[in-house]
Amino acid sequence: MKGALGALLLFLLPGLAFSAPLGTRTVLENGLILLHSEQRSLPLVTLRLILWAGTAVEPPEKSGLANLTAELLSQGTADRSAQEVAEAIDTLGGRLGFQAEKDFVSAGLTVLREDLEAGLTLLSELIQRPSFPEEELNRKISQTLARIHQEEQEPSTVAALAFQGALYGSHPYGRRTIGTPDELRNLTREDVVSFHRERYLPEGAIVAVVGDISQRAAREALAKVFGGWVGGPSRVPNLPLPEGPKVLNVVKIDRPVSQAQVLFGHPGLERDDPDFYAVLVMNYILGGGGFESRLLDTIRDNLGLAYSVFSRFSTGLHGGTFRAGLQTRNETANQALEEFFKEVRRIREVPVTERELSDAKDFLTGSFPLRLSSNRDISSMLTQVELHSLGLDYPDQYPGLIQAVSQEDVLRVAQKHLHPGQAVLVILSDEEKAALQY
C-alpha cells in the first residue's frame, strides 16, 4: 500500500521527480548568499531570508531580545510609520513577515512578479532602517507579557518549558524565545537598536528566491535594493548542547488537570551524522509515522490509553534532540508510560519486520515531493540545504539514502541513539489521581 502511495505521488507530481539541482547558489558582493530556483507555473515570487539574529546570539541576561527585535521590524521605519508599513504590505496583496527562532531570524516575502521591486524595496527598508518607536516597543512588551501569562495557564506549555529547562539548562536552546517577564521588563530601546546594529547584516546571511524569475533577474533585483547593505555579524559561536542525563531525571508537576502531559527526551544526533537517515526510518516506525507507528498503534489504538502520542528527532545548528510525548488520563499515566518504555526497549532489542521497514522507506521517499510542492516549500528546502551543507542535489540523493537503510541499521541506530534510562521525563498531572510510580 505504501509503495503504491509513493508511486502515485510521483505520478501525480511529475515535475517534482528531480533530475536537476534544486537551484543555484551565488554569493553577492556584500556577502549575501543567494539561492535561486526558477518556477514558472505561477506569476509569483517567494523570498526567504535567514539572518544570524536568533535566540542563540542574544545576551543570556536579555532573554526575548531577538524575538522583540524581529517583531518590531514592521512597526515603522525611518520613512514610514507603523500604519504606513501595514498599508504598504496590504497594497502588495502578498505576504511579508518576520519570525525569530533559536538559531536565526527568518523573513518571508511572497508577491506577484510585477510587484517584486516594490516588495523588495519595502523588505529592505524594514531590515536596514527600522525606527523601533518607543511606544511600539512598550506595546509589544505588554502583549508578550500577556501572552506569557496566558500560556503559563496551559498545561502543555508548562510541561514543555519544564522539559526544555531540564534538558538544556543554561544553553540558549533552554531559553524561551519570547523571553521571561523579568528580563522583558528590563529591555530598552537601546538594547534593540544595538542588537539590530550588530546582527542584522548581510555577510553570511542566506536569501532563497523562488518563482517566476530568472537567476540573473533575481540577482539584479537584490543588488538594486540591498547593494548598499554591508558588513557582517560576529560569527555565530559553537554552542554544543550539554551532555544528557546519566540517569532517568524525572520532573513531576502537580496540577488540577484531567489529562496528564508526558514528555520524554534526551540529546539526539546532529544533522551531519551518518546515522541520520537510518534514524529517520527507525523513528518513523517507533512514533513518527502517525497511525502507522508502533507507539500510536499500541498505546492509542490497541489499548486506548492516550489521545495523542509521538516521537521525533529534531536537529538544530548546535545539536539535536530526541523527544517523545503523550497525553493520557491521570489514572492511566503509569500504564501508558509502561507501554511507552516497552516499545522503546523493543525497537532497541528486536529487529523491525521487513514489512515495517518497507512501509517506512516507501512513505518517506514517496511523500518527499510534497515537501516541495510550492514556492514556499522550495525556499524553505533551499535554506535548509544551505544551513546543513546538504548540496543542491539533495532531492536526488534523498531517496537512495533512505532506501539504503537495512533492518540491521535500524536496530543499530536504535541502540545507539535511544537512551530510555538516561533522559528527562516530565510528567504534569493531578498527582493524587495519577499515583505516579516514577
Side-chain angles (χ1 to χ4, degrees), residues 8-85:
L8 178 61
L9 287 169
L10 290 174
F11 174 76
L12 293 174
L13 300 167
L16 297 175
F18 307 100
S19 58
L22 184 61
T24 60
R25 181 187 190 275
T26 55
V27 181
L28 305 186
E29 289 185 6
N30 60 0
L32 184 63
I33 299 168
L34 167 61
L35 308 172
H36 169 262
S37 177
E38 188 170 331
Q39 304 291 327
R40 296 290 189 178
S41 57
L42 293 171
L44 296 171
V45 177
T46 293
L47 177 148
R48 186 171 192 239
L49 174 64
I50 299 295
L51 296 160
W52 301 112
T55 303
V57 295
E58 66 186 8
E61 72 279 5
K62 296 186 184 296
S63 173
L65 178 58
N67 181 70
L68 181 62
T69 304
E71 291 203 340
L72 286 170
L73 291 175
S74 59
Q75 300 306 305
T77 72
D79 299 320
R80 310 188 209 213
S81 66
Q83 179 63 33
E84 289 171 332
V85 169

Side-chain angles (χ1 to χ4, degrees), residues 78 81 100 114 130 140 155 211 275 295 306:
S81 66
E114 63 189 40
K140 284 292 182 183
D275 290 338
L295 289 175

Side-chain angles (χ1 to χ4, degrees), residues 76 152 154 179 224 353 375 402 412:
E152 285 176 347
E154 299 173 4
K224 183 175 181 179
T353 67
N375 288 354
I402 293 294
R412 176 181 57 81

Side-chain angles (χ1 to χ4, degrees), residues 249-395:
N249 177 16
V250 181
V251 179
K252 291 186 279 190
I253 305 170
D254 190 12
R255 291 286 191 278
V257 294
S258 59
Q259 298 293 317
Q261 307 274 339
V262 178
L263 287 173
F264 169 91
H266 51 68
L269 75 170
E270 298 194 16
R271 183 60 181 81
D272 61 357
D273 192 306
D275 290 338
F276 179 80
Y277 300 96
V279 166
L280 276 186
V281 175
M282 180 272 292
N283 185 64
Y284 181 92
I285 296 168
L286 175 64
F291 292 105
E292 303 299 325
S293 73
R294 289 180 174 184
L295 289 175
L296 205 70
D297 184 58
T298 299
I299 297 175
R300 173 178 152 160
D301 295 345
N302 293 344
L303 298 175
L305 296 174
Y307 296 90
S308 66
V309 57
F310 71 90
S311 69
R312 70 171 65 100
F313 281 83
S314 58
T315 54
L317 295 183
H318 302 289
T321 305
F322 171 69
R323 179 184 302 211
L326 60 87
Q327 296 180 40
T328 185
R329 291 184 297 113
N330 288 298
E331 294 79 4
T332 56
N334 286 313
Q335 186 182 359
L337 275 166
E338 181 181 351
E339 296 299 329
F340 168 79
F341 283 113
K342 277 183 184 178
E343 290 299 342
V344 173
R345 288 193 296 269
R346 179 161 75 103
I347 204 166
R348 295 180 78 247
E349 295 168 359
V350 181
V352 299
T353 67
E354 287 275 10
R355 177 62 180 273
E356 286 178 313
L357 180 67
S358 175
D359 285 352
K361 293 196 292 187
D362 285 350
F363 182 85
L364 290 170
T365 55
S367 62
F368 187 83
L370 295 178
R371 296 167 59 186
L372 296 167
S373 59
S374 70
N375 288 354
R376 189 175 181 182
D377 291 337
I378 296 171
S379 68
S380 179
M381 179 65 72
L382 280 168
T383 54
Q384 289 301 308
V385 162
E386 178 68 24
L387 287 168
H388 296 290
S389 302
L390 301 178
L392 290 168
D393 63 346
Y394 178 64

